[in-house]
Amino acid sequence: MITHHPSDFTLARLAAGTLGAGPQLVVATHLSGCPRCRRGLRSFWAVGGAMLDEAAPTRLSPDAFAQALRRLDETDPPAEPAARVLHPDLPPPLNAYEIGRWRFVPPGFRWRRLTLPESPDANVIMLKIAAGQPVPHHGHSGTEYTQVLTGSFTDSLGRYRAGDCIEMDEEVNHQPVVDQDGECVCLAAVEGRLRLSGWIGRLIQPLIGI
Ligand SMILES: [Zn+2]
């Protein structure tokens, strides 16, 4: 039951190859479990293809998102052998990436970093937060993309469950709290720089290095 999706603008940017590598991975993870957004992406591709027929082909860069498509759980047979699966418990777009060990920051908060060989500067982190625990307060200088992998959390705008994708721009002052019925694991990336505030943030900012 997915109720929060990436915006059409984000899907269009994914289709056009202009979404940053980190957010692209977060959105691809959402797409792997969301037929509605896969249909949306295909329609943007169709529009892009029509534009390519009529305009200068250099305006679009299909290579940037072809990679995301290959990782989707499509009904079509894969065009190439599946990548080595390192994390069978994670959605297909994530399971072949090197992921660092969980790092513990008390209280009730852990994080680990995903390494994208094709984009080493991308900042993608996985967060694991205990039930009832507030997500570390932070702001960001660009849009933040969060995909809920397991569990759920709530903020002033709604409740977010496994499969939901949340986009927050820098104007949103949100303080998410993990729901009481279990821990929550999320994948998060920002375009721009993540600014963590509060004591937890000051503690982990140097560790995460973003
Ligand atoms: Zn969706």
Side-chain angles (χ1 to χ4, degrees):
M1 185 179 56
I2 298 174
T3 53
H4 299 273
H5 304 267
S7 66
D8 283 348
F9 181 61
T10 292
L11 292 180
R13 291 185 62 208
L14 180 65
T18 61
L19 194 63
Q24 180 174 294
L25 180 61
V26 174
V27 175
T29 303
H30 177 81
L31 289 165
S32 73
C34 184
R36 170 180 144 172
C37 287
R38 289 203 295 272
R39 285 194 298 273
L41 183 64
R42 287 196 196 97
S43 66
F44 282 114
W45 276 337
V47 172
M51 288 171 61
L52 274 174
D53 288 341
E54 297 172 3
T58 51
R59 287 182 60 87
L60 296 176
S61 52
D63 286 346
F65 56 84
Q67 179 182 336
L69 177 66
R70 283 200 298 272
R71 298 199 190 99
L72 298 182
D73 183 18
E74 298 284 349
T75 53
D76 301 331
E80 59 188 61
R84 186 172 52 124
V85 173
L86 301 176
H87 310 281
D89 54 321
L90 294 176
L94 303 177
N95 59 22
Y97 281 108
E98 298 283 349
I99 305 180
R101 64 180 174 83
W102 284 111
R103 297 167 187 272
F104 179 73
V105 181
F109 174 70
R110 278 175 282 177
W111 67 275
R112 57 182 180 169
R113 179 198 287 275
L114 275 74
T115 304
L116 281 58
E118 68 276 18
S119 208
D121 294 335
N123 287 309
V124 183
I125 57 174
M126 194 176 290
L127 303 167
K128 183 186 282 187
I129 304 152
Q133 188 73 27
V135 177
H137 185 70
H138 59 278
H140 25 88
S141 55
T143 303
E144 178 187 74
Y145 299 83
T146 302
Q147 173 73 14
V148 184
L149 300 178
T150 61
S152 61
F153 66 85
T154 301
D155 70 9
S156 58
L157 300 176
R159 186 174 186 209
Y160 310 94
R161 301 175 179 83
D164 281 339
C165 186
I166 306 99
E167 285 184 30
M168 295 282 183
D169 64 28
E170 57 191 315
E171 282 91 45
V172 176
N173 184 9
H174 57 117
Q175 181 49 70
V177 177
V178 173
D179 294 326
Q180 293 290 347
D181 50 1
E183 67 181 13
C184 181
V185 179
C186 295
L187 185 71
V190 288
E191 291 200 299
R193 185 175 172 83
L194 186 68
R195 302 189 306 271
L196 294 162
S197 55
W199 72 271
I200 295 176
R202 287 196 298 275
L203 198 57
I204 67 171
Q205 184 98 56
L207 302 173
I208 296 179
I210 56 178

